[in-house]
Amino acid sequence: MMASSDFTLSPETSAGRYHSAGSLAHGGSAADRITISVHADMAELEAEWRALDESSGNSLHQSFDWCAAWTKTHGSELLIVRGAAGREPLFLLPFEIERSRLLRAARLIGSEHSNLNTGLFGAGIGNVPAAELTAALTGGIGRQLRRFADVIVFDRTPRIWRGAPHPLAVLAGIENPNASFQLPLLGTMERTLAQINAKRRRKKMRISERRLAEIGGYDYVIAREAQEAHALLETFFRQKAARFETLGLPDSFREAETRTFFHALIDARAPEPGNLLELNAIRLRGEHAGRIVAVAGLSRKGDHVICQFGSIDEEIAADASPGELLFYRMIERLCAEGVALFDFGIGDQPYKRSWCTVETTLRDIVLPLTFRGRLAAGGFRAIARAKRLVKANETLYAFIQRQRQRRQTSAANADEA
């Protein structure tokens, strides 16, 4: 493990000394300096990290417990950057170093399976002028991290989040090929549905219930015990794998460490009101009693709920749209529990657009730290632009996905040989 190294930017550095526009530390002066430290151990920052977790502006995906589960199951090489003004923490940026033959990239922990990345910022960050924050996040951090990484990549960051500009928006970025989609919850199901054609939505729900009643009815299930949650998660993996195979697409949940990570989230206990992974399902009664026909995994942080994944059993009752019914029941419950935002996550799908009134554009920020990183940064940007063009062409996108599935199947067959 790398030992933590603390340093303060000197007046001679190209980024200069960083000052606040006003009081950053409680009772501090405008001359308070931003001090940056680099750490490799999450535990030494846990108390401060958990305090920053409480802000609704900081993503669940950078929360202490989420990152701890990811690093435990993936053996990540950590590099955590802390910025402070006096004794007041301004930000924590928890990176893992991804190494390839030619490049070392620092990414926020678990970016591969994150719907939203924000880093962690304290309330005092609002007092830092944009130019000085930009300098701290580029030149200040860059001088220390170039020993360990060639490039920093912030994937899937919002320009605006929860109604306010995000601190990372001061950095130049490019639009991510995918947006994310949200539905504000307005206290009651009636008021919430009024945003999205309530009459049509209720009609679809009644049709689903009538079709399920014809085969014995159903129960809406929330896994309260870990054993039941683990079983539902395995059901999701099976259903999703079958769906991907039908579509000729690669299974993004195939890797053992990915599956282990989601199981670890079930066993972790997030601070209330919160839940790192709650499994919800539609379970049949009658002739097919016990059969799970729809599964969804929800993560909650305060008044924000993210749907991490969902699946249906396509062999039975698929015409009853059990997935849509499950969303209805989950949203209905969460309205009553005081949740303000139901987040369908990243990726453009017709069912998301049918439910959501908010589309959040996400950005990717690439900060080169070395000459090799500057060459790679151009490649990252070119790839992002190419992905946007490919996704705009449905025929080409489908062809590329089929090729990915063939490669994945070939690799799986080779592993079994």
Side-chain angles (χ1 to χ4, degrees):
M1 296 290 286
M2 180 190 72
S4 65
S5 59
D6 296 332
F7 65 92
T8 302
L9 301 174
S10 68
E12 293 76 26
T13 60
S14 59
R17 294 176 62 180
Y18 305 134
H19 303 286
S20 67
S23 176
L24 292 175
H26 302 295
S29 71
D32 286 333
R33 301 171 66 184
I34 293 181
T35 303
I36 296 174
S37 55
V38 180
H39 308 258
D41 185 0
M42 290 181 62
E44 66 182 273
L45 297 170
E46 181 174 357
E48 206 166 77
W49 197 322
R50 290 190 182 279
L52 291 175
D53 279 349
E54 296 179 6
S55 169
S56 62
N58 293 329
S59 173
L60 168 92
H61 294 289
Q62 274 76 67
S63 67
F64 185 87
D65 294 304
W66 184 277
C67 291
W70 181 272
T71 56
K72 180 179 179 180
T73 55
H74 287 75
S76 302
E77 179 183 349
L78 301 185
L79 200 67
I80 306 161
V81 176
R82 176 185 183 272
R87 295 184 177 181
E88 181 181 5
L90 293 179
F91 57 80
L92 286 178
L93 300 174
F95 296 113
E96 57 183 343
I97 306 301
E98 297 179 354
R99 297 178 181 272
S100 64
R101 188 167 60 88
L102 298 176
L103 193 71
R104 303 164 302 167
R107 295 179 184 267
L108 292 173
I109 293 173
S111 290
E112 181 182 353
H113 281 276
S114 296
N115 283 285
L116 177 77
N117 292 315
T118 62
L120 300 114
F121 290 86
I125 202 70
N127 296 323
V128 181
E132 296 180 9
L133 179 58
T134 300
L137 292 173
T138 54
I141 292 175
R143 276 188 299 279
Q144 301 304 313
L145 296 197
R146 66 169 57 104
R147 292 177 291 165
F148 312 104
D150 299 298
V151 65
I152 298 173
V153 182
F154 294 100
D155 300 290
R156 304 173 181 180
T157 68
R159 185 184 296 276
I160 303 291
W161 182 241
R162 303 304 296 264
H166 189 268
L168 288 175
V170 301
L171 302 179
I174 55 176
E175 185 177 329
N176 188 282
N178 295 297
S180 64
F181 296 83
Q182 295 82 34
L183 172 68
L185 305 190
L186 305 181
T188 67
M189 193 61 169
E190 290 72 21
R191 292 179 61 196
T192 298
L193 289 183
Q195 305 172 94
I196 53 172
N197 194 332
K199 183 177 180 180
R200 180 174 178 273
R201 187 62 59 185
R202 289 195 184 92
K203 180 180 179 180
K204 291 182 68 174
M205 189 268 291
R206 288 194 298 270
I207 292 173
S208 293
E209 291 196 316
R210 184 173 67 248
R211 290 177 176 172
L212 291 179
E214 292 171 354
I215 58 173
Y218 77 96
D219 291 309
Y220 166 40
V221 177
I222 308 164
R224 300 300 188 188
E225 300 296 329
Q227 182 177 0
E228 183 179 19
H230 287 299
L232 286 178
L233 181 58
E234 286 298 321
T235 299
F236 161 75
F237 289 144
R238 290 193 298 272
Q239 291 178 350
K240 204 65 175 179
R243 178 62 175 168
F244 282 135
E245 184 175 2
T246 298
L247 295 175
L249 300 177
D251 183 357
S252 56
F253 297 92
R254 173 177 173 267
E255 299 298 329
E257 61 186 11
T258 299
R259 296 186 175 208
T260 303
F261 164 64
F262 283 107
H263 278 293
L265 292 180
I266 291 173
D267 294 325
R269 294 300 175 204
E272 293 293 336
N275 198 322
L276 292 184
L277 191 63
E278 174 192 88
L279 274 295
N280 291 243
I282 297 294
R283 183 177 61 204
L284 296 183
R285 300 175 185 170
E287 178 184 354
H288 302 285
R291 182 78 172 250
I292 301 297
V293 292
V295 181
L298 303 182
S299 298
R300 178 173 180 176
K301 178 173 178 266
D303 65 352
H304 178 208
V305 167
I306 299 177
C307 182
Q308 300 290 353
F309 51 71
S311 66
I312 64 169
D313 185 336
E314 298 189 44
E315 295 180 357
I316 184 171
D319 64 338
S321 302
E324 284 286 316
L325 177 61
L326 180 55
F327 276 119
Y328 190 101
R329 290 304 181 202
M330 292 189 299
I331 291 170
E332 181 180 51
R333 171 176 66 88
L334 294 170
C335 282
E337 293 181 3
V339 171
L341 192 68
F342 189 91
D343 197 328
F344 282 76
I346 192 169
D348 193 346
Q349 298 289 336
Y351 79 90
K352 294 183 183 180
R353 288 192 175 274
S354 74
W355 274 103
C356 296
T357 61
V358 178
E359 179 177 349
T360 300
T361 300
L362 301 176
R363 302 188 313 140
D364 297 335
I365 299 164
V366 183
L367 303 177
L369 306 180
T370 65
F371 176 73
R372 183 175 293 179
R374 286 192 290 275
L375 294 177
F380 278 114
R381 297 184 184 105
I383 290 170
R385 294 188 186 98
K387 285 182 178 179
R388 287 202 302 274
L389 291 174
V390 167
K391 291 202 169 188
N393 186 320
E394 293 184 6
T395 302
L396 179 58
Y397 182 58
F399 171 76
I400 291 175
Q401 292 289 68
R402 287 195 298 270
Q403 295 301 111
R404 290 177 61 196
Q405 171 67 9
R406 290 192 184 99
R407 287 196 298 270
Q408 186 182 83
T409 301
S410 297
N413 292 337
D415 291 340
E416 294 171 0

